[in-house]
Each structure stands twice: as C-alpha cells, then as structure tokens.
Amino acid sequence: MIGRLNHVGVATPSIEKSVTLYRDVLGATKIHDAFDMPEQGVRVCFVDVPNSQIELIEPLGDDSPVHGFLAKNPAGGQHHVCFEVEDIYAARDEMAAKGAKVIGTGEPRIGAHGTPVIFVHPKDMGGVLVELMERPEDLHE
Amino acid sequence: MIGRLNHVGVATPSIEKSVTLYRDVLGATKIHDAFDMPEQGVRVCFVDVPNSQIELIEPLGDDSPVHGFLAKNPAGGQHHVCFEVEDIYAARDEMAAKGAKVIGTGEPRIGAHGTPVIFVHPKDMGGVLVELMERPEDLHE
C-alpha cells in the first residue's frame, strides 16, 4: 500500500532557526516559504531534497498538538513520517481493518500539500507517528 | 550539500515484528534480508519505498548504542535521518567548520550501504540525529 516517502516531519521551536540550519549548515538549496495551518495548529515549512522533503513544524496557537512534543523534546526532533497512498479512504479503511488506530475522527483532513491525510497512532506503528497522504495528482510519476 | 534522503532510521526492539508491520499492515512489498553490523552494535533491515528506504535498527549486543534509545522509547521510534553527500570527508570538514559536532572520532565508518558515513550530533541538528552517507556509485543518477 505505502508509496513514496513524501516527507519527514521535524518539529522545531523555531522554523526561522531551523531554516538557517538546513540552509547554512546542511546546505539545502530549495526551501519553500513557511505558511500557517491554523486548523491543525501548526506553521510549516518544506525543505526540498532531490527525492523527498523535510517538513519543519512549529506550534501555532496555544492548542497546538506540537506543544506536547516540544515539552518532551525542547530542541525539536523527528515528529512523523509521511507516506503517499493512492486513495486515502481505502487506506483509512485498511488501517481500521488491520487494527491500526487512526487518530481523531477517522475523517481525512486536508494536509499541507492540499490532499487528504490521516495520521496513524504510534502505538500501532512501532512507536512512529505515520501520516498517510493521498498522492498529489501533479506528482504522479 | 545534502542530497537525497537515503533513509529514515527507525529503532525497534524486534526487526521481525517491525517487518510484519511494514509488510502486512503498511503493505510494503520490497523488504531486504536483515543483517548484523557487529562493529556498530546493530542489526538492520531495509524496507524499500519507491523513492527511499526505512532502515529498521535492532540492538545487537550489550553495548549497542540503540539500547539507550529503546530505554526511552520502548516501542521503538524514529532514530535518525540519513542524507547522501558526494564526499564524506568534505562533508565532515564542513560540519566541523560550521560548528556542528561529528559523533565519535570524526573518522568516517563504513555504513550499512557499504559507503563511509558520519553521524552529526542532534544538539547541533535541531534535535535530529543526522547521518551523512557518501552516495553509493551505483545509485548515482
């Protein structure tokens, strides 16, 4: 089922400082503009590498789900991995059928790339928070 | 400097159980044979996705550096990200010049793909353990 590794989500207390790290220390050359996703309580910024992306995630607002992560990991750290799937509803139903808990209502939400996504609970994913994201049409290979 | 996201390292108490997860729940179709890397205290297994890999890492031996990670994260979790670089010595010198601490002696070691690698300390990488790996010749694009 899982397709491309669309991105690795990296939580950070400051996208601005993380951009400096990825650009000036690690030498990433393509860094997109950051933008707010208020409905998910995050501000995000994508850093391109040739085959994938790093998604920098900063908490937005007092209710951000990222606050808990940063309380445990004040410097930031790896937050989730995101795999592309062909059909988000089929993926959701397959997770449920296999006993893997989809976080929230189970209804896909629109993710940072504009396609529907779900998150699967780390307790059923070997301790890894897994995002499944319907593959954007314009990225079909 | 950084090139392709070669893999995401995922620590696990049991490669066998993780393989079941990636194969039977997430539907990965290409999973390589696991193998021991005694000099690094790990047993590893690569799971392919179309553009990258997940490296499952199980502790090997009493001195394995992964024991500490699993003590904090008993179910396993995201352990490191690995980016390809063209020249590992140039990358090492660049990290040093920019004040990012290379773990260990600073001398590259042979990694799981047979090319030299270094690890850069999470304290200088936004809380993320970063592996830099010299790009395998046969993967040059």
Side-chain angles (χ1 to χ4, degrees), chain B residues 64-114:
Chain B
S64 175
V66 184
H67 284 306
F69 184 94
L70 290 176
K72 290 181 195 161
N73 309 275
Q78 288 175 257
H79 181 268
H80 69 271
V81 293
C82 175
F83 298 107
E84 296 176 5
V85 297
E86 287 297 323
D87 180 325
I88 197 70
Y89 289 96
R92 178 198 63 180
D93 293 347
E94 195 168 335
M95 289 301 102
K98 289 175 174 171
K101 179 176 172 52
V102 175
I103 293 173
T105 63
E107 193 59 25
R109 297 199 298 179
I110 297 302
H113 284 306

Short mmCIF file of all heavy atoms in Angstrom, two decimals, chain B residues 64-114:
data_model
loop_
_atom_site.label_atom_id
_atom_site.label_comp_id
_atom_site.label_asym_id
_atom_site.label_seq_id
_atom_site.Cartn_x
_atom_site.Cartn_y
_atom_site.Cartn_z
N SER B 64 25.22 -2.07 22.49
CA SER B 64 24.59 -1.39 21.37
C SER B 64 24.16 0.03 21.73
O SER B 64 23.55 0.25 22.78
CB SER B 64 23.36 -2.17 20.90
OG SER B 64 22.69 -1.43 19.90
N PRO B 65 24.47 1.00 20.87
CA PRO B 65 24.04 2.38 21.14
C PRO B 65 22.52 2.54 21.08
O PRO B 65 21.99 3.58 21.48
CB PRO B 65 24.74 3.18 20.04
CG PRO B 65 25.02 2.21 18.95
CD PRO B 65 25.24 0.88 19.63
N VAL B 66 21.83 1.52 20.59
CA VAL B 66 20.37 1.63 20.45
C VAL B 66 19.66 1.30 21.76
O VAL B 66 18.49 1.63 21.94
CB VAL B 66 19.88 0.73 19.29
CG1 VAL B 66 18.39 0.90 19.05
CG2 VAL B 66 20.64 1.06 18.02
N HIS B 67 20.36 0.66 22.71
CA HIS B 67 19.71 0.33 23.98
C HIS B 67 19.19 1.58 24.69
O HIS B 67 18.09 1.58 25.24
CB HIS B 67 20.68 -0.41 24.90
CG HIS B 67 20.90 -1.85 24.52
ND1 HIS B 67 19.87 -2.74 24.36
CD2 HIS B 67 22.04 -2.54 24.27
CE1 HIS B 67 20.37 -3.94 24.02
NE2 HIS B 67 21.67 -3.83 23.95
N GLY B 68 20.00 2.63 24.65
CA GLY B 68 19.59 3.87 25.32
C GLY B 68 18.33 4.46 24.72
O GLY B 68 17.42 4.90 25.43
N PHE B 69 18.27 4.42 23.39
CA PHE B 69 17.09 4.93 22.69
C PHE B 69 15.85 4.12 23.07
O PHE B 69 14.79 4.68 23.36
CB PHE B 69 17.31 4.87 21.17
CG PHE B 69 16.19 5.46 20.37
CD1 PHE B 69 16.22 6.79 19.96
CD2 PHE B 69 15.08 4.70 20.01
CE1 PHE B 69 15.18 7.34 19.23
CE2 PHE B 69 14.04 5.24 19.28
CZ PHE B 69 14.09 6.57 18.88
N LEU B 70 16.00 2.80 23.09
CA LEU B 70 14.84 1.95 23.40
C LEU B 70 14.45 2.04 24.88
O LEU B 70 13.28 1.83 25.21
CB LEU B 70 15.12 0.50 22.99
CG LEU B 70 15.17 0.25 21.48
CD1 LEU B 70 15.54 -1.20 21.20
CD2 LEU B 70 13.84 0.59 20.80
N ALA B 71 15.42 2.38 25.73
CA ALA B 71 15.06 2.57 27.14
C ALA B 71 14.09 3.74 27.27
O ALA B 71 13.15 3.71 28.07
CB ALA B 71 16.31 2.81 27.97
N LYS B 72 14.31 4.77 26.44
CA LYS B 72 13.42 5.94 26.47
C LYS B 72 12.17 5.73 25.63
O LYS B 72 11.13 6.36 25.84
CB LYS B 72 14.16 7.17 25.93
CG LYS B 72 15.26 7.68 26.84
CD LYS B 72 15.93 8.92 26.24
CE LYS B 72 17.24 9.23 26.93
NZ LYS B 72 18.10 10.09 26.12
N ASN B 73 12.29 4.87 24.61
CA ASN B 73 11.18 4.65 23.67
C ASN B 73 11.01 3.14 23.49
O ASN B 73 11.44 2.57 22.47
CB ASN B 73 11.49 5.29 22.30
CG ASN B 73 11.91 6.74 22.40
OD1 ASN B 73 11.07 7.62 22.44
ND2 ASN B 73 13.21 6.99 22.45
N PRO B 74 10.40 2.47 24.47
CA PRO B 74 10.39 1.00 24.45
C PRO B 74 9.72 0.40 23.22
O PRO B 74 10.08 -0.71 22.80
CB PRO B 74 9.60 0.65 25.72
CG PRO B 74 9.71 1.85 26.60
CD PRO B 74 9.77 3.03 25.68
N ALA B 75 8.79 1.09 22.62
CA ALA B 75 8.12 0.57 21.43
C ALA B 75 8.92 0.80 20.15
O ALA B 75 8.55 0.33 19.08
CB ALA B 75 6.74 1.21 21.29
N GLY B 76 10.02 1.56 20.29
CA GLY B 76 10.77 1.97 19.11
C GLY B 76 10.37 3.37 18.69
O GLY B 76 9.57 4.02 19.36
N GLY B 77 10.94 3.84 17.57
CA GLY B 77 10.61 5.18 17.09
C GLY B 77 11.65 5.66 16.09
O GLY B 77 12.61 4.96 15.78
N GLN B 78 11.43 6.88 15.61
CA GLN B 78 12.33 7.47 14.63
C GLN B 78 13.67 7.77 15.28
O GLN B 78 13.72 8.52 16.27
CB GLN B 78 11.73 8.75 14.05
CG GLN B 78 10.57 8.50 13.12
CD GLN B 78 9.90 9.80 12.66
OE1 GLN B 78 8.84 10.17 13.14
NE2 GLN B 78 10.53 10.48 11.72
N HIS B 79 14.73 7.23 14.73
CA HIS B 79 16.05 7.28 15.35
C HIS B 79 16.98 8.28 14.66
O HIS B 79 17.69 9.02 15.31
CB HIS B 79 16.65 5.86 15.31
CG HIS B 79 18.00 5.74 15.94
ND1 HIS B 79 19.16 5.86 15.22
CD2 HIS B 79 18.37 5.49 17.22
CE1 HIS B 79 20.20 5.70 16.04
NE2 HIS B 79 19.74 5.47 17.25
N HIS B 80 17.01 8.30 13.35
CA HIS B 80 17.85 9.25 12.62
C HIS B 80 17.34 9.43 11.19
O HIS B 80 16.49 8.66 10.73
CB HIS B 80 19.33 8.81 12.61
CG HIS B 80 19.62 7.57 11.79
ND1 HIS B 80 19.56 6.30 12.32
CD2 HIS B 80 19.97 7.41 10.49
CE1 HIS B 80 19.88 5.42 11.38
NE2 HIS B 80 20.13 6.06 10.25
N VAL B 81 17.84 10.46 10.52
CA VAL B 81 17.62 10.60 9.09
C VAL B 81 18.98 10.59 8.42
O VAL B 81 19.97 11.07 8.98
CB VAL B 81 16.85 11.89 8.71
CG1 VAL B 81 15.43 11.84 9.23
CG2 VAL B 81 17.57 13.14 9.19
N CYS B 82 19.04 10.02 7.23
CA CYS B 82 20.31 9.89 6.51
C CYS B 82 20.22 10.56 5.15
O CYS B 82 19.40 10.19 4.32
CB CYS B 82 20.66 8.42 6.32
SG CYS B 82 22.15 8.19 5.32
N PHE B 83 21.09 11.55 4.96
CA PHE B 83 21.18 12.25 3.68
C PHE B 83 22.45 11.81 2.96
O PHE B 83 23.50 11.62 3.59
CB PHE B 83 21.25 13.76 3.89
CG PHE B 83 20.05 14.36 4.55
CD1 PHE B 83 20.10 14.81 5.86
CD2 PHE B 83 18.85 14.48 3.86
CE1 PHE B 83 18.99 15.37 6.48
CE2 PHE B 83 17.74 15.04 4.47
CZ PHE B 83 17.80 15.49 5.77
N GLU B 84 22.37 11.71 1.65
CA GLU B 84 23.57 11.40 0.87
C GLU B 84 24.39 12.67 0.63
O GLU B 84 23.84 13.76 0.49
CB GLU B 84 23.15 10.80 -0.48
CG GLU B 84 22.44 9.47 -0.33
CD GLU B 84 21.93 8.90 -1.65
OE1 GLU B 84 22.22 9.49 -2.72
OE2 GLU B 84 21.23 7.88 -1.61
N VAL B 85 25.70 12.48 0.61
CA VAL B 85 26.62 13.56 0.25
C VAL B 85 27.59 13.00 -0.80
O VAL B 85 27.78 11.79 -0.91
CB VAL B 85 27.40 14.12 1.47
CG1 VAL B 85 26.46 14.76 2.47
CG2 VAL B 85 28.24 13.04 2.13
N GLU B 86 28.20 13.91 -1.54
CA GLU B 86 29.11 13.46 -2.60
C GLU B 86 30.43 12.96 -2.03
O GLU B 86 31.01 12.01 -2.54
CB GLU B 86 29.39 14.62 -3.57
CG GLU B 86 28.23 14.97 -4.47
CD GLU B 86 27.85 13.83 -5.40
OE1 GLU B 86 28.75 13.12 -5.89
OE2 GLU B 86 26.64 13.64 -5.64
N ASP B 87 30.92 13.63 -0.99
CA ASP B 87 32.27 13.35 -0.48
C ASP B 87 32.19 13.42 1.04
O ASP B 87 31.97 14.49 1.62
CB ASP B 87 33.23 14.41 -1.04
CG ASP B 87 34.66 14.20 -0.55
OD1 ASP B 87 34.87 13.77 0.61
OD2 ASP B 87 35.59 14.50 -1.32
N ILE B 88 32.40 12.30 1.70
CA ILE B 88 32.19 12.25 3.16
C ILE B 88 33.24 13.06 3.90
O ILE B 88 32.94 13.67 4.94
CB ILE B 88 32.14 10.78 3.66
CG1 ILE B 88 31.51 10.72 5.06
CG2 ILE B 88 33.52 10.15 3.67
CD1 ILE B 88 30.06 11.01 5.11
N TYR B 89 34.47 13.10 3.39
CA TYR B 89 35.50 13.88 4.09
C TYR B 89 35.23 15.38 3.97
O TYR B 89 35.40 16.14 4.92
CB TYR B 89 36.89 13.51 3.58
CG TYR B 89 37.31 12.13 4.05
CD1 TYR B 89 37.13 11.01 3.24
CD2 TYR B 89 37.84 11.94 5.33
CE1 TYR B 89 37.47 9.74 3.68
CE2 TYR B 89 38.19 10.68 5.77
CZ TYR B 89 38.00 9.58 4.96
OH TYR B 89 38.34 8.34 5.42
N ALA B 90 34.78 15.79 2.80
CA ALA B 90 34.42 17.20 2.63
C ALA B 90 33.25 17.56 3.54
O ALA B 90 33.22 18.63 4.16
CB ALA B 90 34.06 17.47 1.16
N ALA B 91 32.29 16.63 3.64
CA ALA B 91 31.11 16.88 4.49
C ALA B 91 31.54 16.98 5.96
O ALA B 91 31.08 17.86 6.69
CB ALA B 91 30.09 15.76 4.30
N ARG B 92 32.41 16.06 6.37
CA ARG B 92 32.88 16.09 7.75
C ARG B 92 33.58 17.41 8.06
O ARG B 92 33.33 18.05 9.09
CB ARG B 92 33.85 14.93 7.99
CG ARG B 92 34.42 14.93 9.38
CD ARG B 92 35.66 14.07 9.46
NE ARG B 92 36.74 14.60 8.62
CZ ARG B 92 37.93 14.02 8.51
NH1 ARG B 92 38.18 12.91 9.18
NH2 ARG B 92 38.87 14.54 7.74
N ASP B 93 34.46 17.84 7.15
CA ASP B 93 35.19 19.08 7.39
C ASP B 93 34.25 20.28 7.40
O ASP B 93 34.46 21.24 8.15
CB ASP B 93 36.28 19.25 6.32
CG ASP B 93 37.37 18.17 6.45
OD1 ASP B 93 37.40 17.47 7.49
OD2 ASP B 93 38.16 18.03 5.49
N GLU B 94 33.22 20.20 6.56
CA GLU B 94 32.27 21.31 6.51
C GLU B 94 31.47 21.38 7.82
O GLU B 94 31.21 22.46 8.34
CB GLU B 94 31.34 21.12 5.30
CG GLU B 94 30.58 22.36 4.96
CD GLU B 94 29.89 22.27 3.59
OE1 GLU B 94 30.33 21.49 2.72
OE2 GLU B 94 28.89 22.99 3.43
N MET B 95 31.07 20.21 8.34
CA MET B 95 30.35 20.21 9.61
C MET B 95 31.23 20.83 10.70
O MET B 95 30.79 21.66 11.49
CB MET B 95 29.94 18.79 10.01
CG MET B 95 28.83 18.18 9.17
SD MET B 95 27.27 19.11 9.20
CE MET B 95 27.37 19.94 7.62
N ALA B 96 32.49 20.40 10.75
CA ALA B 96 33.40 20.92 11.77
C ALA B 96 33.58 22.43 11.62
O ALA B 96 33.52 23.18 12.61
CB ALA B 96 34.74 20.20 11.68
N ALA B 97 33.74 22.87 10.39
CA ALA B 97 33.96 24.30 10.14
C ALA B 97 32.74 25.12 10.55
O ALA B 97 32.86 26.29 10.95
CB ALA B 97 34.27 24.53 8.66
N LYS B 98 31.56 24.50 10.48
CA LYS B 98 30.34 25.23 10.82
C LYS B 98 29.92 25.00 12.27
O LYS B 98 28.84 25.41 12.68
CB LYS B 98 29.23 24.83 9.85
CG LYS B 98 29.49 25.41 8.45
CD LYS B 98 28.49 24.93 7.42
CE LYS B 98 28.74 25.67 6.10
NZ LYS B 98 27.93 25.09 5.00
N GLY B 99 30.76 24.29 13.01
CA GLY B 99 30.49 24.13 14.44
C GLY B 99 29.52 23.03 14.79
O GLY B 99 29.02 22.98 15.92
N ALA B 100 29.24 22.13 13.84
CA ALA B 100 28.33 21.00 14.14
C ALA B 100 29.18 19.79 14.54
O ALA B 100 30.10 19.40 13.80
CB ALA B 100 27.47 20.69 12.92
N LYS B 101 28.85 19.21 15.69
CA LYS B 101 29.70 18.15 16.24
C LYS B 101 29.47 16.81 15.55
O LYS B 101 28.35 16.29 15.51
CB LYS B 101 29.40 17.98 17.74
CG LYS B 101 30.23 16.89 18.39
CD LYS B 101 29.98 16.82 19.89
CE LYS B 101 30.66 15.60 20.51
NZ LYS B 101 32.09 15.50 20.16
N VAL B 102 30.55 16.27 15.01
CA VAL B 102 30.52 14.92 14.45
C VAL B 102 30.76 13.94 15.59
O VAL B 102 31.71 14.12 16.36
CB VAL B 102 31.57 14.76 13.34
CG1 VAL B 102 31.63 13.32 12.84
CG2 VAL B 102 31.26 15.71 12.18
N ILE B 103 29.90 12.93 15.69
CA ILE B 103 29.98 11.99 16.81
C ILE B 103 31.17 11.05 16.61
O ILE B 103 31.48 10.64 15.49
CB ILE B 103 28.66 11.20 16.92
CG1 ILE B 103 27.53 12.16 17.34
CG2 ILE B 103 28.77 10.05 17.91
CD1 ILE B 103 26.14 11.54 17.33
N GLY B 104 31.81 10.70 17.71
CA GLY B 104 32.91 9.74 17.66
C GLY B 104 34.22 10.43 17.33
O GLY B 104 34.43 11.60 17.65
N THR B 105 35.10 9.68 16.68
CA THR B 105 36.45 10.18 16.42
C THR B 105 36.48 11.19 15.28
O THR B 105 37.47 11.87 15.09
CB THR B 105 37.37 9.02 16.00
OG1 THR B 105 36.87 8.48 14.76
CG2 THR B 105 37.39 7.92 17.05
N GLY B 106 35.41 11.26 14.52
CA GLY B 106 35.41 12.12 13.34
C GLY B 106 35.84 11.36 12.10
O GLY B 106 35.70 11.86 10.98
N GLU B 107 36.35 10.16 12.31
CA GLU B 107 36.75 9.34 11.15
C GLU B 107 35.51 8.61 10.62
O GLU B 107 34.82 7.94 11.39
CB GLU B 107 37.81 8.33 11.58
CG GLU B 107 38.51 7.64 10.42
CD GLU B 107 39.23 8.61 9.48
OE1 GLU B 107 39.60 9.73 9.91
OE2 GLU B 107 39.41 8.24 8.31
N PRO B 108 35.20 8.77 9.35
CA PRO B 108 34.02 8.07 8.81
C PRO B 108 34.15 6.56 8.98
O PRO B 108 35.25 6.00 8.96
CB PRO B 108 34.03 8.46 7.32
CG PRO B 108 34.78 9.75 7.28
CD PRO B 108 35.82 9.65 8.35
N ARG B 109 32.99 5.92 9.16
CA ARG B 109 32.94 4.46 9.25
C ARG B 109 32.12 3.93 8.08
O ARG B 109 31.34 4.67 7.48
CB ARG B 109 32.28 4.04 10.56
CG ARG B 109 33.08 4.49 11.77
CD ARG B 109 32.72 3.72 13.01
NE ARG B 109 31.33 3.88 13.40
CZ ARG B 109 30.78 3.28 14.45
NH1 ARG B 109 31.50 2.46 15.20
NH2 ARG B 109 29.51 3.48 14.76
N ILE B 110 32.29 2.66 7.80
CA ILE B 110 31.53 2.09 6.70
C ILE B 110 30.10 1.81 7.19
O ILE B 110 29.90 1.12 8.19
CB ILE B 110 32.20 0.80 6.18
CG1 ILE B 110 33.58 1.13 5.62
CG2 ILE B 110 31.33 0.16 5.10
CD1 ILE B 110 33.60 2.15 4.49
N GLY B 111 29.14 2.36 6.48
CA GLY B 111 27.75 2.23 6.88
C GLY B 111 27.07 1.02 6.25
O GLY B 111 27.70 0.21 5.56
N ALA B 112 25.78 0.94 6.46
CA ALA B 112 25.02 -0.23 6.05
C ALA B 112 24.94 -0.41 4.53
O ALA B 112 24.63 -1.49 4.05
CB ALA B 112 23.60 -0.15 6.64
N HIS B 113 25.22 0.66 3.80
CA HIS B 113 25.21 0.53 2.34
C HIS B 113 26.62 0.40 1.76
O HIS B 113 26.81 0.51 0.55
CB HIS B 113 24.49 1.72 1.71
CG HIS B 113 23.00 1.65 1.83
ND1 HIS B 113 22.28 0.56 1.42
CD2 HIS B 113 22.09 2.52 2.34
CE1 HIS B 113 20.98 0.76 1.63
NE2 HIS B 113 20.84 1.94 2.21
N GLY B 114 27.61 0.23 2.65
CA GLY B 114 28.96 -0.04 2.18
C GLY B 114 29.77 1.18 1.84
O GLY B 114 30.89 1.06 1.33
#
